[in-house]
Amino acid sequence: MALAARISRPFVPRLFSRSFAAAAQPQTFAIYRYDPDQQAKPFLQEYNIDLKSCGPMILDALIKIKDEVDTTLTFRRSCREGICGSCAMNINGKNGLACLLYIEPSSKPIEIQPLPHTYVVKDLVPDLTNFYNQYKSIEPWLKRKDVKAKDDKEYFQSREDRAKLDGMYECILCACCMTSCPSYWWNPEYYLGPAVLMQAYRWIADSRDQFTEERLAWVNDTMKLYRCHGIMNCTNCCPKGLDPAKAIVHLKEQVAETYTDAWKSMMTEEIVKNKGRESGMMYM
Amino acid sequence: MFSRLATASRSAARRAAQRVGASRSVTSSTIGGYEVFDHSYDAVVIGAGGAGLRAAAGLVNHGLKTACITKVFPTRSHTVAAQGGINGALANMTEDDWRWHAYDTVKGADWLGDQDAIQHMCRLAPEVILELESFGLPFSRTPEGKIYQRAFGGQSLKFGKGGQAYRCAAAADRTGHAILHTLYGMALKFDCLFFVEYFAMDLIMSDDGKCLGCVAMCMEDGSIHRFGAHSTIIATGGFGRAYQSCTSAHTCTGDGSAMASRAGLPMQDLEFVQFHPTGIFPAGCLLTEGCRGEGGILRNSEGEPFMARYAPTAKDLASRDVVSRAMTLEIREGRGVGPNKDHIFLHLDHLPPETLAERLPGISETAKIFAGVDVTKEPAPVLPTVHYNMGGIPTNWKTQVVRDAEDTIVPGLLAAGEAGCASVHGANRLGANSLLDLVVFGRQAADTTAELVKPNSPPVTLPKNAGEASIARMDKIRNAKGPIPTADLRRELQVTMQKYAPVYRNSDDLAKGKGVIVEVMKKYKDVGVTDRTMIWNTDLIETLELENLINQAAQEMYAAEARKESRGAHAHENFPERDDENWMKHTLSWLDKPHVEDAKVVLKYRRVIDQPLDKEMHHVPPAKRVY
C-alpha cells in the first residue's frame, strides 16, 4: 500500500532546513552522571551524536543517546510536548523542559545537568518530594464555607473573574522556577518557592473560594513568603511563559491590604482543625 | 518536617511506613534473592491518571484504606495532555438532554458500545462535571458565568435531527490539564496515599481466579513490594506507543492491560485504535478537535474544505474515524499538501485572533513550537495520528472485570478509564467522551468497591510465593544479555504496527502483519539490557514496558485480521461495509502463555449489550452511520 510504505520510513522530524549534504552534523553533549550504587563524585560525560538523524529537541538527543549509545543514561520524560513537566532540567545553565528546547548546534558541548540544588537520585533525576509536600501544604482545592443546595448547579464565575486565573492555572509543576530561585536554594525547607506561592495566589484569586483570608493569613510569614526578594529567575525560566514573580507581588500586596490582627487567632483555629492530618495548613 | 534523608536509603518501605504512621504495618521477606515488602490495603489503584485519581479519592472518601501505585508522579500522567473538553448535557448553551448524548455515543461507537454502560456514563455526566467544578476546576465561562461548552465531533441535538450540540465543557484548550490537577487536588484533600514511581509488574491471583493484589518495584531503590488488597483497580491507560507515530506519551505502554493478560484474562476489542485527525505532522503532538469545534477547517492542496464531501451535515466535526479516513483518502488521491503531498492543512487563520487567544491558547503555542507555524496567519500541517485505544480489559458497567463471553466476574479486580472496556466507546470514541469516561468510571470503581469491601477489612492472605514468577522474570530481564537492544526491538514493533495496521487495513497487510508480529514476539527472548542496577533502572523498565507493548500489539493485530468488516475505526478495504449480522460482537483475545516469546494469540467473541440499564433511555437500534 503506497501510503503505508511512505509512513514506514524512519521517523526523522526535520523542522528547519539544515543542509541536506551527505556529511553528518556532529554535536557533543556533556551530561551530568551520578551512579547511586557507586556513590562516587558526579561528573560530566561527553556524548557525540549526529544531529542529521536526530529530532530537533534536546529531549530527542537524550533519547537518541540512551537508545543508541548508553542505555544507562537516566532521565524523566513522558509527554514530549511540554505539558507534563517530567523532563525539567538545566540546559547550558538555564532551567527548562528538554522537550521544548531546540538543540542549538554549537562547537562547544551542550551541558545538561539536573535541576540545581536538588538531591539527585541518579543522573538527571532529582528528588522533588519537598516541592510536592509544599504544594500540598497550600491546600490546592476549592474551599467553601457554605454547603451547596441540592439543585444548585455550578458556582457562578464571571468571565472577568475567570480571567484572573489565566497565567496561573496553567502551571505544570515542573519545578524549573523553584530550582532556579537562589532564595529557595538557601531555604528549601521553609521558603515555599515561586510555583507554590503562585498556586497559593491562584486559590486566593479564585472568586469561588471562600477561605481567602485564611489562605492569606497562612502565607503571611517571614520565611514562607518573604524570602522572595524579587530575584526574577523564576519568570525568566518558566517554560510555559508564566510569571510567578508577578503573582508573588500581587500576593504581598493583597496580604498588606487585608491584614488584621485577628489573623493570629484565625490561624490557631485552622491548626486545631487540621490536627492529626498528615499535612495541610498545620504549620505555623 | 520536609527534610529528606541524606543517604540513598534502601528501604523506601520503611520510610513510607514512618511517613504514614506506625498503624500501617509492613512486613518483609526475601524472594528470589530480592528483599520483598508486604503491604495490606482494602483497595489498591494502579495508575494515577484521571480514572485512577478519581477512584483513589472516591475510595478514601468511602473510608477504605487505599493505596495508589503509579510509575510517574500523578500530574505527569497522560490525562494532563488532553485538550478539548469533557462532554455533559449541562444545557448551558442550548437545551440539551443526556439521552441525546447517549444516542450520539452509541452511534459514534458504530453500535459496538454497550448501551447500559453508555447510559450510565451519559446520565451521570452533568453530575460529575459539576463535582469537578466544585473542587475548583477553572472551566471557561459564558457571559452568564456558567460553564462554557463548545461544539465537538459527533455531538448532535434531538437524536441527530437538531443540528450541532454544544456540550463539551472546556477550560480553554487545557481541559485535561485542568481535570488532572483538580483531581490531584481532590486526592490531596482526602489525604490519599501514593506510591510514586513504583512500577507495577504483575497481578497476584489466587488459584481459584480471584485477584488478591499486585506486585510492584520501587524505582527509587529497587525494592519489591507486594500489595494485598480486597479490590484492585487497573487504571493504567492505553498502549499508543505500539505505533511509530502517536499523540501518546512515552509512558503509554499498556502495563495494566498486559498484567491482566499475563494473568490469563482476555482483552476486548483491541483492533479498534483511534487515529486522531489532527496530530501535528511530523512531530505527532496533538491539536485538539476543539480547533474544529471553534471553527477550524481542514483543506487539501486545492484549498478545498473537503469534509463537506465526506460528511455533508457534520463536516469537519464528523466522528474522528470518518475524518481520519477522509484525510487519508485525500492524500492517497494526490491532494495532500507539502513538498511530498503527504499531509493536510488545518486552517485556523480565518478565526478572530481573540478567539484563538481565549479558547485555543495551548495549541497556538504547540503549533508554534513543533510546526513553526503562527496559527493566526498560516495553516498547521496535520496527519491522522494514533491517539486512543477503544479496547481494553473487558468489564461490566460497574467496572468489574469479566473473564469470558458469559460475563463471569473476576472477584477483586476492576478496570476503569482507557485501560478498561466497559464498553462505552465501542468501535470509535467521540471526542471529549474519554475525560468523561475517566471520571464516571473512576468514581464507579470506587463505588463498586465500597459495595463489596468494608472499611478496615482483615488483611488479604497472600500465598507465600505470590509474585515469585514476576520477580524471577524481572531478574531474568535485568540480566538479559541478548543481542537485540530494547530500542531496536521497540522500533521494529512500531514500524510493524504503523505499516500493517494503519487507518486503512487490508487482508494482505494484516496477514503479513500477523507473521511479522509473531517474529517480534519471539525476538523478545533475545533482548539485551545493559544497565544492571536496581536503582532507577530505566533500561529495565523500558524493556518490561516493551513486553507489555508487544503483548497488546500482537492481540491487536490478530483481532484486526480476524474482523472481516469495517466498523468504526477498523476500516478494512476488502470488507468496506459494516456487517451487523455476523460482526456485531466484541472481540475477546488471550495470550495462551504469559510471556510473549512463548505465546500464541487466541480469539473468541462476546455479544454487545444492546439494552440500556433501565427505562430512562430507549434502546438505540442500529442504523446506517452517516454524518
Side-chain angles (χ1 to χ4, degrees), chain A residues 109-127:
Chain A
I110 297 177
E111 241 188 57
I112 304 182
Q113 302 227 19
L115 293 174
H117 212 269
T118 53
Y119 286 105
V120 174
V121 180
K122 180 178 175 182
D123 292 349
L124 300 169
V125 176
D127 185 330

Side-chain angles (χ1 to χ4, degrees), chain B residues 357-368:
Chain B
E358 185 184 350
R359 305 280 184 221
L360 299 171
I363 58 98
S364 303
E365 189 68 27
T366 306
K368 183 79 133 313

Side-chain angles (χ1 to χ4, degrees), chain B residues 144-165:
Chain B
E144 300 84 41
K146 298 199 270 189
I147 294 172
Y148 168 71
Q149 295 180 280
R150 57 161 53 117
F152 230 66
Q155 302 291 333
S156 71
L157 299 169
K158 300 202 168 80
F159 303 104
K161 301 185 182 62
Q164 178 70 41

